[in-house]
Amino acid sequence: MNDDILLSMTGIDKRFAGIPALSGASFAVGRGEVHALIGQNGAGKSTLIKVLTGYYRRDAGDVAFDGKPFEVFSPQLAQASGISTIYQEINLVPYRSITENICLGREARHYGLLDWKRMHKEAETLLRRFNVRVDVDRPLMEFNTATQQMVAIARAIGFSAKLVVMDEPTSSLDDREVTVLFDVIRQLKQEGVSVVFVSHKLDELYEVCDRVTIMRDGRTVKTAAMTEIDKIGLVSSMLGRTINRAEGHATAFSDRDEKKIGKVLLSAQNLSINRTVQDVSFDVRSGEIAGFAGLLGAGRTETARLVFGIDRPRAGIMHYDGQQFDPRSPADAIAAGMGFCTEDRKSEGIVPEMSVAENMMLALMPKVSKSGVIDEKAQRKIVERFIRQLDIKCSGPDQKVRELSGGNQQKVLLGRWLAMNPTLLILDEPTRGIDVGAKGEIQSLIKSLADRGLAVLMISSELEEVIEGADRVFVLREGITVAEFDRNQATEDVLMSAMAHGNAPRIVEAAS
Amino acid sequence: MTRSRLISLLGSYGVVLALLLLILFGWARYDNFLGFFNITSVLRYNSMFALVALGMCFVIMTGGIDLSVGSTAALGSVVAALASSHGAWIGLGAGVGAGLCVGLVNAMLVTRLRIMPFVATLAMMLAASGTALLFAENQSVSVSYESGFTSIGQDNFLGFPIPAWIAIAAYVVGWVVLNYTSTGRGILAVGGNEDATRLMGLPADRIKCLVYLASGGLAGLAGVILASQFGAGQPIEGVGWELFAIAAVVVGGTLLTGGMGSVGATLAGVLLLGILFNVLNFENGKGWISLSAYWQSVIRGLFLLVVVILQAKLSRSTLVAREH
């Protein structure tokens, strides 16, 4: 390995509205090194990258680049200093031509005017490195996502960068295109260019990366050579778990009464949509909590979206309550008796300016209306019942949801779905962003709901939540259900092994 | 040439085609429609609108809008008229300078204070109009006839009206800037995806400042021509110019959301709307029908709708055709 350090970041702090996103993070990249940066959702990878590229201004810490202190606070200047970035969401201009998207900001000129001929040629040459041959004069929006991604990469490389940062560059590429990309990365490495590679696909890291830095909760927890760390090591560092940890109850899911579990309510066989969900099979029974475990990008949320009719599967069969189930829209799924608490409360769930009562009644509106006019009395009754039942801490039904804590906002959302009397509730990361005390409350609430016969499909990135909460755990890895465990089989070791390798034995076959 | 390519060409050049058809119609129906006098007077009058529309076109391409152009032109005409006694050039400079000032305020409001362009320029529309009335003391301001200021709007150069020359020069410069400078490509990039443009390291705010400055300056220049052509600064002129300019830009196929647009098609849009007005006047002159100015506005509005609907249809079928 090259001892010559190109980039070093130490003690980086960054807060958003007082909430730390990075605290004392550090990161170092050698010259000509391909360095992986991994971590769970919210671990601070993207923030760290945006601090590096000058998009965010750091609150504290030192950055040195190419032997000099790096005090750059705009993407423009970072680019000029030799740091090129490919952001996770493709950040290009769809209406403009491929040439423009590649050359914007460093146009070729001829007597002070743009030299289109040379720019087209440059764009073509750059893209040919990726085996992409297209009419570079056509608008970018006419091309598929993979081509757009390649354009973004070509743009970054074209800037004769010393460091290329790739934030999940492979998420929209197919296998062949990934191979091409890896060839280009190796080529860059040979030319002495360093690459920071962010990905959730562990296999990819071993293929191209020299070293890896693992982040968790805004901190750097480990940096190691790829040859010195195995997949289990990566996963356990990301999740912050050590293998064979002493077992104890870390969550509020106290022992469940398994006798109350009824017959299969929802079953799904071989669901697929694209690379995110390739072959997912599972089933949930009445009164059961089924858990989905897996790393970020394993296809858990995407599967839930299929079940709830937000996206439509390309293949696979679902049965609900004994009948074939093919939801065309969330309305179908709701009519069948499902509820879905999404992962992102803020953007997909609550309406912050509306009151507790209004938020809770949004989905139920048609049922408490008499010829279009809302029956205030009936509404009031339902809302008050759920505030009591879920123990929502609020001044009353009229308080604005914005003013409630995260845990209580989540309860309002739960209340919204429970008011519909669902038979199956999908919970995507039900305790994310909720403080420890409220977490326990939500967890015991979920348990008591299941005890009363509700089927629950729970997606969680917290291992202990899945292990202690779920009656059965399905492990997803890169869009495939790779393992299924019963409550007594599910330990951190076997789950992490399944998440990392995907080759753990499928211990229990689906019951249906 | 494939069918989709043909449709996409039709979409881009539809306005030129409509313009040619309208001219053909006028030539066939009316004597003297293509006569020297008619051509020069149409050009002389519409060059003011052409200048305002050019600035508007650049602002709209960044995804913004400039509602203040009409009152900026009025202010420019008043300031130019007041300054015209010091010389033609000084009058010209003063009018353009007044426009640039309004443009500068717009630019600061939009980029520094992050006020929505619609609101910022609406406020400036009122402010500029009030300033014009204040300077003019609520009446039209006669220009100085000794300084030669009136030749800007009334004289010919090489047999062609000077305002038309000015507009042609402005459009050539605009076309070169848009197609052959990084600023021009930056304007379209900002309108297409402002966030991405920033992340690409382009000076998005500077680009936005430039278009509002240009729009203000061009509106001021239009005001100079107005004062010079009519011999007086007109504080209450310019009402509705911004709408005419927006209409011309939209007819020219420039997307109101920004990111796509053409200088040439905007000029065609101005001429199309201007000549339509001219055709209606000729029709009145035939004596068979008598359309009041109100009816002419109605007809222009309907015509605008037809063009926009056709264009939306065309571009939609282009997209569909491209997906196959």
Side-chain angles (χ1 to χ4, degrees):
Chain A
M1 198 200 307
N2 200 335
D3 279 334
D4 193 359
I5 294 297
L6 176 70
L7 166 79
S8 89
M9 304 175 79
T10 46
I12 308 294
D13 281 356
K14 176 73 200 171
R15 293 164 161 273
F16 294 108
I19 298 153
L22 292 175
S23 34
S26 58
F27 187 48
V29 181
R31 279 180 210 278
E33 181 191 40
V34 183
H35 198 122
L37 181 64
I38 64 171
Q40 291 262 77
N41 211 349
K45 294 166 307 201
S46 292
T47 313
L48 188 71
I49 287 171
K50 285 189 170 162
V51 165
L52 170 63
T53 57
Y55 197 77
Y56 294 147
R57 187 179 277 264
R58 60 183 182 263
D59 296 336
D62 296 306
V63 180
F65 182 72
D66 209 9
K68 291 182 284 278
F70 191 67
E71 297 295 332
V72 159
F73 298 111
S74 85
Q76 211 176 336
L77 292 172
Q79 211 164 66
S81 332
I83 299 178
S84 277
T85 313
I86 302 153
Y87 293 94
Q88 198 170 345
E89 327 82 54
I90 297 174
N91 262 295
L92 296 171
V93 188
Y95 289 132
R96 306 320 314 164
S97 68
I98 288 186
T99 299
E100 279 171 74
N101 272 294
I102 289 179
C103 298
L104 268 176
R106 48 169 187 123
E107 297 89 349
R109 291 200 196 156
H110 191 65
Y111 298 120
L113 297 181
L114 298 182
D115 187 347
W116 282 107
K117 231 174 165 179
R118 218 171 89 206
M119 284 170 24
H120 285 319
K121 222 169 143 192
E122 210 176 297
E124 268 168 13
T125 320
L126 271 168
L127 284 173
R128 207 162 297 147
R129 280 176 81 167
F130 303 97
N131 288 328
V132 176
R133 279 158 214 276
V134 289
D135 182 356
V136 292
D137 201 15
R138 307 293 304 160
L140 183 78
M141 62 179 177
E142 289 179 13
F143 299 93
N144 62 23
T145 324
T147 308
Q148 296 189 9
Q149 182 74 39
M150 289 299 187
V151 169
I153 294 166
R155 173 181 170 81
I157 291 169
F159 271 99
S160 54
K162 294 181 185 128
L163 176 71
V164 179
V165 181
M166 301 185 180
D167 195 353
E168 289 198 57
T170 59
S171 50
S172 51
L173 303 184
D174 69 24
D175 293 339
R176 193 184 54 82
E177 291 156 340
V178 169
T179 317
V180 175
L181 174 66
F182 286 176
D183 285 343
V184 171
I185 291 178
R186 290 187 197 106
Q187 207 177 325
L188 286 173
K189 183 179 152 73
Q190 260 173 16
E191 291 163 15
V193 177
S194 308
V195 177
V196 173
F197 189 82
V198 180
S199 174
H200 297 296
K201 293 174 187 152
L202 302 183
D203 298 328
E204 288 181 1
L205 307 185
Y206 286 96
E207 223 174 298
V208 284
C209 299
D210 303 314
R211 285 201 300 160
V212 57
T213 290
I214 301 157
M215 296 193 69
R216 191 176 69 239
D217 301 332
R219 287 167 221 280
T220 311
V221 290
K222 195 179 185 92
T223 297
M226 288 306 299
T227 46
E228 289 164 7
I229 189 165
D230 59 4
K231 286 186 202 167
I232 295 273
L234 289 180
V235 173
S236 60
S237 300
M238 270 162 72
L239 302 185
R241 302 256 77 87
T242 45
I243 312 276
N244 298 327
R245 198 179 62 106
E247 290 297 317
H249 279 299
T251 66
F253 290 109
S254 50
D255 289 329
R256 292 255 297 121
D257 184 355
E258 288 182 32
K259 279 178 223 125
K260 290 194 176 153
I261 294 175
K263 60 178 188 340
V264 173
L265 182 66
L266 169 74
S267 74
Q269 271 110 41
N270 312 105
L271 290 183
S272 74
I273 175 161
N274 49 30
R275 271 166 60 84
T276 55
V277 179
Q278 298 181 30
D279 182 6
V280 174
S281 304
F282 66 94
D283 60 289
V284 191
R285 297 168 206 175
S286 308
E288 179 189 51
I289 302 176
F292 267 4
L295 296 174
L296 196 65
R300 295 168 300 168
T301 302
E302 290 79 0
T303 303
R305 289 169 62 93
L306 294 182
V307 172
F308 202 60
I310 301 170
D311 302 321
R312 301 203 64 194
R314 209 169 45 194
I317 304 173
M318 284 187 276
H319 284 87
Y320 193 80
D321 209 7
Q323 302 201 325
Q324 189 154 343
F325 180 58
D326 181 21
R328 283 158 202 281
S329 69
D332 285 357
I334 292 169
M338 286 188 197
F340 185 14
C341 284
T342 51
E343 177 179 14
D344 193 345
R345 280 196 299 280
K346 290 225 167 61
S347 70
E348 295 174 26
I350 59 164
V351 187
E353 291 302 322
M354 282 169 104
S355 71
V356 171
E358 285 166 320
N359 265 286
M360 232 185 250
M361 287 297 116
L362 275 180
L364 199 62
M365 217 65 100
K367 288 192 187 169
V368 288
S369 305
K370 278 181 192 159
S371 49
V373 182
I374 297 165
D375 183 348
E376 287 275 351
K377 240 195 210 153
Q379 170 175 328
R380 206 76 182 175
K381 238 159 104 188
I382 299 173
V383 173
E384 272 165 6
R385 179 159 65 89
F386 280 107
I387 290 178
R388 226 177 316 117
Q389 204 176 327
L390 304 180
D391 196 21
I392 299 173
K393 307 256 177 350
C394 59
S395 62
D398 298 320
Q399 190 175 11
K400 284 193 175 143
V401 160
R402 172 169 57 84
E403 297 164 2
L404 304 186
S405 69
N408 282 306
Q409 290 183 355
Q410 184 70 300
K411 286 184 188 172
V412 171
L413 272 187
L414 272 176
R416 178 192 296 171
W417 290 114
L418 293 175
M420 317 270 308
N421 272 323
T423 46
L424 172 78
L425 195 56
I426 307 170
L427 303 171
D428 195 355
E429 303 284 1
T431 61
R432 166 166 297 157
I434 291 171
D435 66 75
V436 184
K439 234 176 197 173
E441 255 185 280
I442 300 275
Q443 287 162 346
S444 50
L445 193 64
I446 295 170
K447 174 187 163 295
S448 70
L449 289 170
D451 284 344
R452 266 178 274 152
L454 183 71
V456 176
L457 179 60
M458 180 174 71
I459 299 170
S460 177
S461 293
E462 291 186 38
L463 272 188
E464 56 210 6
E465 198 166 86
V466 187
I467 290 169
E468 292 176 20
D471 299 304
R472 276 183 307 148
V473 182
F474 297 87
V475 180
L476 274 70
R477 183 178 184 274
E478 295 185 13
I480 299 168
T481 27
V482 291
E484 175 189 338
F485 301 107
D486 261 348
R487 171 181 285 282
N488 47 18
Q489 298 163 329
T491 62
E492 293 193 345
D493 295 16
V494 296
L495 283 188
M496 281 199 284
S497 161
M499 283 153 80
H501 301 296
N503 54 4
R506 210 182 150 96
I507 296 168
V508 180
E509 280 304 313
S512 57
Chain B
M1 187 185 286
T2 61
R3 188 171 156 268
S4 77
R5 193 82 187 209
L6 189 74
I7 293 174
S8 102
L9 276 178
L10 258 177
S12 328
Y13 299 107
V15 58
V16 180
L17 196 69
L19 179 62
L20 289 178
L21 286 176
L22 188 66
I23 291 174
L24 214 63
F25 172 80
W27 170 73
R29 191 164 164 82
Y30 316 114
D31 302 332
N32 297 326
F33 184 72
L34 287 186
F36 181 76
F37 178 76
N38 190 44
I39 290 179
T40 51
S41 60
V42 164
L43 290 180
R44 195 185 296 278
Y45 185 62
N46 283 293
S47 55
M48 293 183 291
F49 299 124
L51 290 172
V52 170
L54 179 64
M56 184 70 79
C57 164
F58 275 99
V59 173
I60 288 179
M61 280 190 289
T62 66
I65 196 123
D66 187 351
L67 298 179
S68 67
V69 287
S71 19
T72 304
L75 177 64
S77 77
V78 170
V79 172
L82 289 172
S84 62
S85 56
H86 301 288
W89 287 105
I90 290 180
L92 177 83
V96 174
L100 286 173
C101 287
V102 178
L104 183 67
V105 177
N106 279 332
M108 292 300 119
L109 290 175
V110 171
T111 59
R112 293 289 148 84
L113 299 180
R114 306 261 160 221
I115 296 173
M116 298 249 305
F118 189 96
V119 179
T121 59
L122 181 66
M124 284 311 289
M125 167 176 149
L126 298 173
S129 169
T131 313
L133 285 167
L134 276 177
F135 283 170
E137 288 161 349
N138 211 3
Q139 54 199 351
S140 52
V141 182
S142 178
V143 303
S144 146
Y145 286 86
E146 293 83 52
S147 64
F149 179 74
T150 48
S151 20
I152 299 173
Q154 296 174 4
D155 286 3
N156 289 355
F157 175 70
L158 298 179
F160 220 55
I162 289 177
W165 283 115
I166 294 176
I168 289 168
Y171 270 82
V172 169
V173 171
W175 182 77
V176 170
V177 166
L178 184 66
N179 292 297
Y180 290 97
T181 68
S182 43
T183 306
R185 302 331 278 177
I187 286 170
L188 288 168
V190 166
N193 185 347
E194 191 171 334
D195 264 346
T197 310
R198 272 179 220 283
L199 286 171
M200 282 179 172
L202 291 172
D205 280 343
R206 207 171 71 207
I207 287 168
K208 279 163 64 176
C209 279
L210 274 175
V211 294
Y212 286 100
L213 269 179
S215 179
L218 286 167
L221 185 58
V224 171
I225 293 171
L226 176 72
S228 166
Q229 228 167 70
F230 294 91
Q234 315 268 0
I236 52 167
E237 257 298 325
V239 177
W241 282 23
E242 64 284 342
L243 300 179
F244 180 91
I246 294 170
V249 170
V250 170
V251 167
T254 297
L255 273 189
L256 265 181
T257 46
M260 252 207 291
S262 151
V263 165
T266 298
L267 180 60
V270 172
L271 290 175
L272 186 65
L273 293 181
I275 290 175
L276 184 67
F277 193 59
N278 188 236
V279 163
L280 290 172
N281 278 336
F282 265 94
E283 195 60 45
N284 273 343
K286 282 210 139 191
W288 291 356
I289 51 163
S290 164
L291 289 172
S292 69
Y294 308 128
W295 273 112
Q296 295 191 3
S297 283
V298 172
I299 289 173
R300 277 217 266 188
L302 288 177
F303 187 76
L304 180 67
L305 266 182
V306 169
V307 172
V308 170
I309 290 168
L310 278 179
Q311 233 155 24
K313 282 227 153 118
L314 276 176
S315 62
R316 211 169 299 141
S317 55
T318 319
L319 278 179
V320 171
R322 275 173 193 165
E323 272 167 20
H324 298 297

